[in-house]
Amino acid sequence: PLRRSPANPAVALSTATADVTFTDPSFAPDYAAERAQGLIRGSYHFARPQLPFTTAVAQADYYASTIGNVQEAGDLPPIMDFEVSGGLSPRDLITWAQTFLAELMAKTGRVPIIYTYRYFWRTALLNSSAFTRYPLWIADYTVGATVPTPPLLGTWPTWALWQWTATANRPGITGNVANSHCNGDAAALA
């Protein structure tokens, strides 16, 4: 979840899908409960890149059909969790991701967010600048930091969300959760 503060309302981000074979069994009830509790809600798909490139279309379609309409107030855009290369070359990985994102945007009518982390982006994608049109959700666990460690990935001029820990505790949630900050106030989040 994103931290609740006067400037940022509570947000819940839930795992929805991975590949074309996995839907988190908690997703549907959690997603419905998040709306019922008045939370801003979002979901993500754990991308499993592979050839042929049609797998990107299939994964985007599977995710989009699982999350349904994301046009209502309080719905964040869909998110591609991009952390594994599937053994693809940087060029093929970039093409796969572009294919996934374009299909997801066509299916949902929203510009997707990309979640990733520095080491993966720099090694698997050679620090590509091909994705700056998409909002960045960066994982960066630098102790004591108040913003993600500069410079950002590729040529992203800014970040939308920053996951600063994966070991937070929240009332009503068993186990650790990841916490993120929004780069802006409540109006920017909306």
Side-chain angles (χ1 to χ4, degrees):
L2 291 171
R3 259 189 177 163
R4 184 187 295 257
S5 72
N8 286 319
V11 176
L13 298 163
S14 301
T15 304
T17 55
D19 204 341
V20 294
T21 57
F22 176 77
T23 299
D24 189 305
S26 300
F27 175 70
D30 286 353
Y31 206 56
E34 292 158 9
R35 168 147 335 274
Q37 293 176 21
L39 300 174
I40 293 173
R41 66 182 186 165
S43 68
Y44 60 92
H45 172 81
F46 191 89
R48 295 276 185 194
Q50 56 191 294
L51 295 176
F53 295 125
T54 55
T55 62
V57 172
Q59 286 189 41
D61 290 349
Y62 182 71
Y63 175 39
S65 70
T66 300
I67 60 175
N69 179 11
V70 291
Q71 297 289 336
E72 295 180 33
D75 288 339
L76 291 176
I79 300 165
M80 177 180 69
D81 183 341
F82 202 30
E83 301 182 60
V84 297
S85 70
L88 273 60
S89 69
R91 189 181 90 201
D92 286 347
L93 192 57
I94 290 166
T95 301
W96 191 95
Q98 289 171 327
T99 303
F100 176 93
L101 293 164
E103 179 71 6
L104 187 57
M105 191 163 34
K107 292 291 184 183
T108 65
R110 303 285 304 270
V111 176
I113 296 170
I114 297 173
Y115 170 88
T116 194
Y117 64 99
R118 192 174 313 280
Y119 180 79
F120 172 75
W121 201 264
R122 289 193 173 152
T123 58
L125 291 119
L126 302 180
N127 206 30
S128 175
S129 298
F131 297 91
T132 57
R133 74 174 294 205
Y134 301 98
L136 172 64
W137 179 15
I138 185 169
D140 180 351
Y141 302 154
T142 304
V143 176
T146 57
V147 295
T149 306
L152 290 176
L153 312 173
T155 56
W156 261 294
T158 191
W159 51 278
L161 301 169
W162 166 40
Q163 184 175 309
W164 56 274
T165 184
T167 58
N169 295 302
R170 288 286 168 246
I173 299 175
T174 303
N176 291 329
V177 296
N179 263 5
S180 296
H181 288 295
C182 174
N183 190 8
D185 59 14
L189 181 61

